[in-house]
Amino acid sequence: MRADRLVSLVLLLRQRGRLSATTLARELEVSTRTVLRDIEALSAAGVPVYAERGRHGGFALLPGFQTELTGLNHEEALALLVAGSRRGAQAFGLGSALASAMLKVLDALPESYRDTAAGAVERLLIDPETDLLSRRLVAEEVPDSIVAEVRRAVFAGHKLRIHYAAVGQPPKWRTVDPIGLVTVREQGYLLATRSGADRTYRLSRVLAAEELAEPAQRPDRVDLDRAWQERSTRFRTGGDSVTVLVRVNPTQREILVGTALAVLAEEVDADGWLRLEVTFQDPRHAEWALWQLATNAEALSPEWLRTALRNRAAAIATRYEAPPEG
């Protein structure tokens, strides 16, 4: 890991010139003390890095210093940089590795291409955090240590033991055969089998993970896109899940989506409220989720849900008709 960090430090100085220890620490996600130790290591290895004192001082490389990295042509580098602008790597715990790789891609370009490629990437935006209606896509936070363990088991083809908190159930340990990882709307999922049956686990609900030495029971090749489509179809149509049509205040959208299992459709009404078709685990889950939003949401269908919410509201109103006793 330190060797990768030293390379990233050199590339930062090559591409951005003089940088303070504080800036380097922030970019490399380490302490300033670690940065100073790395600077000393680079100097001892013959890398011409020097310090400039003063208010605007920092560390820099002597002009003309070159690193030995494999070159890429302009189109290849541009493709990698555009791919690297997507945020899927964050969901799989590869954010810092992606940042380091992008530095290497830029540095590998001939100097005549470097500014052109960097400028082209600035003209492209992939999957922004908000859409035109300022609805924010909230990425789920999953500890890197957990994601890394899951990722290792997926790539190595080993069984995986996870401590998983399913909705409405106490966390339990499960041993699964991992197949692949999927990210959808900033949410990461593990596709796996358990005792031969297909299973899909939301990474944000994995509380701990342990790669096992035992080989996973899984096919050598997998069409992950097809597998995801098939599981999505079964999920929407099977079990006790219910689909609800609901209107919601835009400010409460993320709360609703965060409790739902899936969003099947979404559009904007004339008054600015959002009309969503969402799936819940069962009728009780749907009633609970809509009740939490009070007057910021309205269930349009099915009728049994409207009736359940109306009866609950009537019971509350009856309870508060008279002043409290005593």
Side-chain angles (χ1 to χ4, degrees), residues 117-170:
V121 172
E122 291 177 355
R123 305 291 178 178
L124 303 172
L125 177 62
I126 312 297
D127 290 339
E129 292 185 358
T130 59
D131 62 14
L132 288 174
L133 298 175
S134 296
R135 294 172 297 190
R136 186 175 180 83
L137 301 179
V138 180
E140 294 182 329
E141 295 293 333
V142 184
D144 287 347
S145 59
I146 292 178
V147 180
E149 197 74 8
V150 173
R151 191 174 65 241
R152 281 193 292 267
V154 170
F155 293 161
H158 290 165
K159 286 184 178 293
L160 179 69
R161 187 166 176 260
I162 58 175
H163 195 213
Y164 190 75
V167 176
Q169 300 179 22

